[in-house]
Amino acid sequence: MLDDVRILAWGERSAVKLCATLLERAGAQICFADAGPVAGIAHDVVIVSSDMSSTKEKSVIAELKAAGNTIVCDITATGPQGSRAGGSWSDAQVQAISGLMDTTGFAHGEPVRIGVPFTDISAALYASAAIAAAIRVRRMRGIVQTIDVTLFGCAASALTTFLPAAFVRDTVGRVGNRHPACAPWNAYRTSDGWILICTSTEEQWRRIRSVARVPQLDDPRFATLRERVRHVDVLDPLIETWTTTLTTAECTRLCETIGVAAGPIVSVAGLSGEPNFRLRHGEAAERIDARGIDGDTYRQVSVFRTSRLTDRAVHAPLTANAERVFPTDAGPLAGVKVIEIGQYTTAPLVGKHLAALGARVIKIEPPDGEVARSWAPGRDGTSYFFALNNTDKETIALDLKQDRDREYLRRLLADADVLVENLRPGALAKLGFGRQSLGEINPRLIYCSISGFGIESAYPTRPAFDTVIQAMGGLMDLTRSHGMPVKLGASGADILGGQAALLAILAILAEPSRQAGNFVEISMQDVAAWGALYSSGHPEPQGLAVPCADGHIWIESDGLRDAASLAAHAKQLRCGSLTRACAIAALAEAGIRAVPVVRVPELMEDGDFLADVLSVARDASGAFWPVLKMPYRLSRTPARIRAVPGMPEVRHAIDDEGEERSGRGAIRLSGLAKLDL
């Protein structure tokens, strides 16, 4: 992977240290320094955070960038431009100004700070992936470049569930443990605690309704997904009349039996006793039992696992792609072919970034399209959510339960570099595409499987959605509103899992002489637990969301470490009767830092968001769609967002004689079978 790559981590931000530890896991040699580079010691990569550096340190960073001999990755809060440029904003402040904090919490409560430094963690994962891409470019094409990563961009990129409403001038407020586009989806009381239950399809709804045996669930108001979301305040109490008759364990087992994602809320300290965590991370669990959680506990948990694709020793020749010559400004993954089989957020996020980095990404959808295509709001049969997560992909509809369609997939895989999927573990193998079969089809393939609990799992048949993983990975335990656990408004576990997969794939692709195939296993629970353990071992200073006349502000102070003292100062200054701008000014005079908690719709008027985050792409008809830029910038081989896919189509169909031919138009292959999520 990144063997023999020498990396210097020199910066104050948590993201710098986290980025370095992730790259160390990928094989790099890491040096941590307080005083910067040492004369006579060369590094391939230097990771910095210039917005928290002294004037002298900034000068050294500028010299490193100008010299052009070293890949310099600069992780800052808001980047070198814009009205907020240069400010040493904290993770919580970035959560506030990006709209991320506005999405977390309950509908009738205040915004809630995410209990882990989410923007730092996300920035570390994206920075690691961008560095791996830059290393690939340097090794294959001799180009050295700089990288800029912003916490603000990472935070805004996580808002794909909430931005669609803002695009149509609608408002999606805080939804607590609900989902703005799916129902039933919430934390429900049981006879001995709470359980998270998440559904997204009509089939899952029918199964819940069948086992719950609550007559009122047959009400026409719940006949469709859109109507269930509209009447969720009536629906949730009815679901709870069923869940309260069961223990949490009983309800979890029943949901697993019927294929519905569900699980309990696990505390961070309780991770060591959680069966799947203990199975996958026995040493970390024993360490927690013996010593508790400290600043290094998180390092015992890997966010990805890699191994040989098959047990057979295979040494296949390099493909033609590896030998091609590309323009100097071509993306880092020019010539790479990717097959994506997945829905919703996780695998699509990986495919989106690989496509932006220059790969040809072919997305395989069910015959009637991905479920998320139909989520409101949208236009022309495609939701804004789907568009945000699937830019620059070719989309093809296949029924993988049909022999002809499976044969077509084999042809696609034969010369592919990467296969990424987030189906239920074992689902692809049942269709004839297990690791051994994939190795026979393509000995050099990188096969990345993303799932809630991993391949080696205590729950081999349990489905999982983001909210369940947040609950079972410790994220909800750390994120609380008045003591009650609440999920991140953003799909945090999905996003972090996808970022971990992106890093692993890019680190492998950075080996230009790679011969044998690779298997990458991502457990979203692993990644969530890694972030929760880091946060528990590195507690952040307290802050407070304070109501004002026109919204909320977030306040912090080095001198006032507890929330009660902050609240007393806010009350003394009568912040509740002031606008956010006036309250921020009054608190500044008292030596207390404050920023507005920006509502997601307000981002549409935010100059920094419009300039640094929002962009547009065209669909096949030439219409423009709002999309998001990448939160990392490679100076010489940038990631680019260009297009929004239309409905799934066959661009190279197979005729009756088995010959491949070009086709145009929305030609869907036969069958109605869904992919097994």
Side-chain angles (χ1 to χ4, degrees):
M1 297 174 76
L2 302 182
D3 297 343
D4 300 326
V5 175
R6 298 157 298 179
I7 296 178
L8 174 67
W10 174 39
E12 294 297 319
R13 287 200 175 277
S14 298
V16 172
K17 179 179 180 179
L18 284 166
C19 179
T21 57
L22 287 165
L23 293 169
E24 184 177 41
R25 178 70 67 172
Q29 302 172 18
I30 304 299
C31 175
F32 294 93
D34 294 326
V38 177
I41 301 179
H43 296 93
D44 301 295
V45 181
V46 178
I47 312 169
V48 298
S49 51
S50 64
D51 59 347
M52 301 187 74
S53 302
S54 67
T55 301
K56 182 178 179 180
E57 290 169 339
K58 289 178 181 178
S59 177
V60 174
I61 292 170
E63 290 175 3
L64 281 172
K65 291 180 177 180
N69 300 317
T70 306
I71 297 170
V72 180
C73 180
D74 196 355
I75 306 174
T76 61
T78 57
Q81 299 176 341
S83 64
R84 302 185 180 102
S88 55
W89 310 89
S90 68
D91 172 88
Q93 288 176 319
V94 174
Q95 289 187 34
I97 63 176
S98 66
L100 196 58
M101 190 180 291
D102 177 55
T103 67
T104 303
F106 293 99
H108 302 295
E110 71 280 354
V112 174
R113 171 190 180 173
I114 296 170
V116 298
F118 182 83
T119 71
D120 269 312
I121 292 172
S122 181
L125 283 160
Y126 276 135
S128 302
I131 288 169
I135 290 169
R136 172 183 166 87
V137 173
R138 180 172 183 169
R139 284 174 168 175
M140 296 185 71
R141 291 149 61 183
I143 296 173
V144 179
Q145 58 194 311
T146 61
I147 304 166
D148 283 300
V149 180
T150 69
L151 274 64
F152 183 82
C154 293
S157 295
L159 295 173
T160 52
T161 304
F162 292 86
L163 286 170
F167 292 159
V168 297
R169 304 298 179 182
D170 196 0
T171 299
V172 176
R174 290 178 289 279
V175 295
N177 292 318
R178 290 173 172 170
H179 190 289
C182 296
W185 185 303
N186 207 345
Y188 300 96
R189 287 179 294 176
T190 64
S191 64
D192 63 349
W194 293 85
I195 186 170
L196 274 297
I197 297 177
C198 305
T199 68
S200 66
T201 68
E202 295 302 329
E203 178 60 29
Q204 291 165 355
W205 163 243
R206 285 190 289 269
R207 293 172 185 173
I208 284 287
R209 191 177 60 188
S210 175
V211 299
R213 297 179 181 175
V214 177
Q216 296 93 322
L217 294 180
D218 294 326
D219 191 302
R221 289 177 295 178
F222 311 138
T224 67
L225 177 59
R226 182 170 296 189
E227 286 300 299
R228 290 194 295 277
V229 172
R230 181 183 173 191
H231 297 102
V232 68
D233 288 335
V234 180
L235 175 63
D236 277 345
L238 293 174
I239 296 293
E240 206 162 70
T241 64
W242 162 59
T243 58
T244 51
T245 66
L246 304 168
T247 65
T248 301
E250 290 170 342
C251 196
T252 301
R253 284 195 296 271
L254 181 56
C255 287
E256 183 173 357
T257 300
I258 64 174
V260 170
I265 297 172
V266 178
S267 69
V268 180
L271 282 170
S272 64
E274 201 288 312
N276 197 59
F277 181 88
R278 196 167 193 92
L279 172 68
R280 294 179 60 82
H281 305 287
E283 291 186 9
E286 291 176 3
R287 176 178 175 137
I288 294 170
D289 289 341
R291 300 165 51 182
I293 298 170
D294 59 29
D296 286 328
T297 306
Y298 80 102
R299 300 187 70 172
Q300 307 299 310
V301 177
S302 176
V303 300
F304 59 82
R305 295 182 178 183
T306 59
S307 58
R308 295 277 292 272
L309 179 60
T310 67
D311 295 331
R312 293 189 305 130
V314 177
H315 296 286
L318 291 173
T319 63
N321 281 342
E323 300 171 349
R324 290 173 58 187
V325 177
F326 298 97
T328 55
D329 64 343
L333 301 185
V336 172
K337 178 180 174 182
V338 178
I339 308 300
E340 175 202 311
I341 308 176
Q343 300 193 53
Y344 307 115
T345 298
T346 316
L349 180 147
V350 180
K352 175 180 75 171
H353 283 270
L354 296 177
L357 289 167
R360 178 193 179 197
V361 178
I362 303 171
K363 179 183 180 70
I364 308 299
E365 298 188 51
D368 49 353
E370 179 178 326
V371 172
R373 280 183 177 271
S374 62
W375 290 0
R379 67 181 196 232
D380 302 327
T382 298
S383 68
Y384 286 108
F385 173 87
F386 180 88
L388 286 170
N389 284 287
N390 291 282
T391 45
D392 298 297
K393 300 175 186 177
E394 301 172 34
T395 58
I396 299 176
L398 294 178
D399 178 0
L400 295 180
K401 294 184 178 180
Q402 301 295 325
D403 290 342
R404 178 172 172 173
D405 294 8
R406 290 198 298 272
E407 177 58 30
Y408 182 59
L409 178 58
R410 290 188 188 95
R411 290 176 177 239
L412 289 175
L413 290 168
D415 64 347
D417 298 281
V418 179
L419 166 64
V420 57
E421 52 95 353
N422 66 330
L423 308 184
R424 194 178 304 177
L428 209 54
K430 290 179 182 177
L431 296 168
F433 297 97
R435 287 175 61 178
Q436 188 68 33
S437 297
L438 289 169
E440 293 171 356
I441 294 169
N442 182 347
R444 295 189 65 253
L445 184 70
I446 300 170
Y447 169 32
C448 178
S449 171
I450 310 171
S451 61
F453 302 105
I455 303 298
E456 179 192 13
S457 172
Y459 316 120
T461 63
R462 183 180 296 186
F465 278 122
D466 168 84
T467 304
V468 171
I469 300 303
Q470 288 197 40
M472 297 183 67
L475 297 181
M476 282 182 63
D477 178 46
L478 296 177
T479 307
R480 292 177 176 261
S481 178
H482 299 286
M484 185 172 178
V486 61
K487 74 178 184 71
L488 285 64
S491 300
D494 277 346
I495 292 165
L496 296 178
Q499 288 182 272
L502 179 66
L503 164 60
I505 291 169
L506 286 169
I508 295 171
L509 286 173
E511 298 181 64
S513 60
R514 181 182 62 87
Q515 298 291 317
N518 299 88
F519 177 62
V520 178
E521 180 198 0
I522 303 293
S523 159
M524 286 157 43
Q525 187 190 33
D526 288 353
V527 188
W530 174 79
L533 289 168
Y534 174 81
S535 182
S536 295
H538 300 82
E540 298 275 314
Q542 289 195 35
L544 187 68
V546 174
C548 295
D550 60 346
H552 287 80
I553 58 174
W554 176 259
I555 62 176
E556 297 176 350
S557 172
D558 294 330
L560 303 172
R561 305 291 290 183
D562 62 283
S565 299
L566 291 169
H569 275 73
K571 183 177 181 181
Q572 181 180 358
L573 294 171
R574 299 180 179 178
C575 290
S577 64
L578 303 175
T579 65
R580 287 176 291 179
C582 291
I584 289 169
L587 287 162
E589 291 184 6
I592 299 174
R593 299 187 299 275
V595 295
V597 177
V598 175
R599 302 184 188 95
V600 174
E602 292 176 331
L603 290 173
M604 301 300 106
E605 309 296 332
D606 184 290
D608 291 335
F609 177 83
L610 296 176
D612 262 358
V613 177
L614 194 64
S615 186
V616 293
R618 289 180 182 269
D619 64 17
S621 69
F624 287 103
W625 290 70
V627 294
L628 302 179
K629 298 176 184 176
M630 298 295 101
Y632 48 84
R633 308 281 194 270
L634 289 88
S635 62
R636 296 187 61 186
T637 60
R640 293 186 172 98
I641 304 295
R642 300 178 181 87
V644 170
M647 295 301 292
E649 54 186 28
V650 175
R651 300 196 180 170
H652 299 285
I654 299 176
D655 63 21
D656 292 337
E657 287 73 37
E659 296 297 326
E660 199 167 350
R661 60 184 173 81
S662 297
R664 299 181 65 182
I667 308 171
R668 299 190 186 183
L669 298 185
S670 60
L672 295 174
K674 293 277 187 187
L675 297 181
D676 188 6
L677 290 172

